Amino acid sequence: MTERKPVTLHRLREMHARGEKIAMLTAYDASFGRLCDEAGVDTILVGDSLGNVIQGQPGTMPVSLEDMAYHVAAVARGNRNCWLIGDLPFGSYHESREQALRSSVKLVQAGAQMIKLEGGGWTADTVRFIVERGIAVCAHIGFTPQTVHALGGYRVQGREEDAAQTMLRHATELAEAGAAMLVMEMVPTAVATRITQALPIPTIGIGAGPGTSGQVLVLHDMLGITRGRLPKFVRDFMDGAPSVGAALRAYVDEVKGGTFPDPATHGY
């Protein structure tokens, strides 16, 4: 068996250029970091969703920077080849560009190769400031869990044309500021596809249809571990799978093959 090469930002850009879909999953510990790596996942996001699925919190807002650094370090110890992204949690980048840089440095020192932050508009200047200092940034627009209360709950973003135009403007500004990747969450398929086609960087969808450059799901959701009502964009890949590893490989294969997500079942 040929050992796979580590995924780098350069390789992700090459994948995007040739139209190869990017398979991303969240992970929060060394064991799942290793399993994602062995399954051929391209990039792991150590998401602040750990507040919900690991800590049992009602949302992501209580997650601290120290929590994120701890879990980034744990995943980094299990992972060898996946590109590793660390989420900047709520309150860790909102005060100033300097605060955002300090928080980013902490996650990079823990093992992250890229940091992710939520929001458009005001964040473009912060992205530029971080990127100019040598840290890769993934932006996140659409539904942003850290601002769930301001958004009025878990709602699809960009349904109206004015909102879609604002989202496109924010995405363009973030790419121009130096963001190397963009996550779009709970965005109508047509809008996410339109933004993807307009940008020079890869887009990763979660509830944004099949027209993005890649997909991400929360690990515990796609393994059927999460209880309660799940978003319509989630699919349980453990259903019928003989092992966790097989479920992860099926996810990678379906993302790469363009069969997940199904726009009729998983899109808006």
Side-chain angles (χ1 to χ4, degrees), residues 1 23 43 47 49 81 92 100 135 140 143 156 181 203 221 223 229 232 235 241 243 250 262:
M1 180 177 178
T43 176
S49 49
N81 299 299
S92 69
I135 297 175
H140 181 157
F143 174 72
V156 177
M181 188 178 290
T203 62
D221 293 352
L223 290 179
R229 184 179 177 184
K232 70 174 292 188
R235 178 181 153 194
S243 67
D262 178 347

Side-chain angles (χ1 to χ4, degrees), residues 31-254:
S31 296
F32 276 111
R34 177 178 55 80
L35 285 171
C36 286
D37 186 6
E38 292 174 350
V41 172
D42 296 310
T43 176
I44 295 173
L45 169 64
V46 185
D48 60 1
S49 49
L50 68 88
N52 305 74
V53 300
I54 300 297
Q55 297 177 337
Q57 303 279 10
T60 64
M61 278 77 82
V63 176
S64 69
L65 184 60
E66 290 69 27
D67 293 335
M68 290 306 309
Y70 173 90
H71 286 277
V72 165
V75 174
R77 286 190 286 269
N79 171 56
R80 293 182 60 193
N81 299 299
C82 305
W83 180 252
L84 186 57
I85 305 172
D87 234 344
L88 289 182
F90 181 72
S92 69
Y93 58 98
H94 298 72
E95 291 178 10
S96 66
R97 301 179 308 173
E98 290 75 17
Q99 182 208 25
L101 178 61
R102 289 193 298 271
S103 299
S104 300
V105 167
K106 187 160 188 174
L107 295 190
V108 170
Q109 289 175 332
Q113 295 163 300
M114 172 182 266
I115 63 92
K116 182 174 78 67
L117 53 76
E118 293 184 4
W122 69 273
T123 57
D125 187 49
T126 300
V127 168
R128 182 176 290 104
F129 188 77
I130 296 170
V131 170
E132 286 176 346
R133 282 148 183 82
I135 297 175
V137 174
C138 175
H140 181 157
I141 62 172
F143 174 72
T144 47
Q146 292 175 10
T147 55
V148 60
H149 301 308
L151 293 174
Y154 292 83
R155 301 165 63 91
V156 177
Q157 303 296 305
R159 286 195 188 275
E160 304 299 327
E161 181 58 24
D162 285 351
Q165 287 286 357
T166 298
M167 199 178 299
L168 174 59
R169 185 178 75 253
H170 287 170
T172 302
E173 291 169 350
L174 289 161
E176 290 174 347
M181 188 178 290
L182 178 75
V183 169
M184 289 188 282
E185 182 168 357
M186 291 179 66
V187 175
T189 296
V191 175
T193 302
R194 182 169 146 200
I195 292 172
T196 298
Q197 292 171 346
L199 294 186
I201 61 173
T203 62
I204 307 296
I206 176 167
T212 54
S213 312
Q215 300 293 326
V216 63
L217 286 177
V218 171
L219 185 75
H220 291 60
D221 293 352
M222 58 84 65
L223 290 179
I225 298 171
T226 304
R227 290 294 174 259
R229 184 179 177 184
L230 295 175
K232 70 174 292 188
F233 56 76
V234 174
R235 178 181 153 194
D236 181 1
F237 280 84
M238 271 303 296
D239 186 15
S243 67
V244 169
L248 299 181
R249 288 191 295 275
Y251 169 78
V252 172
D253 289 345
E254 293 203 22

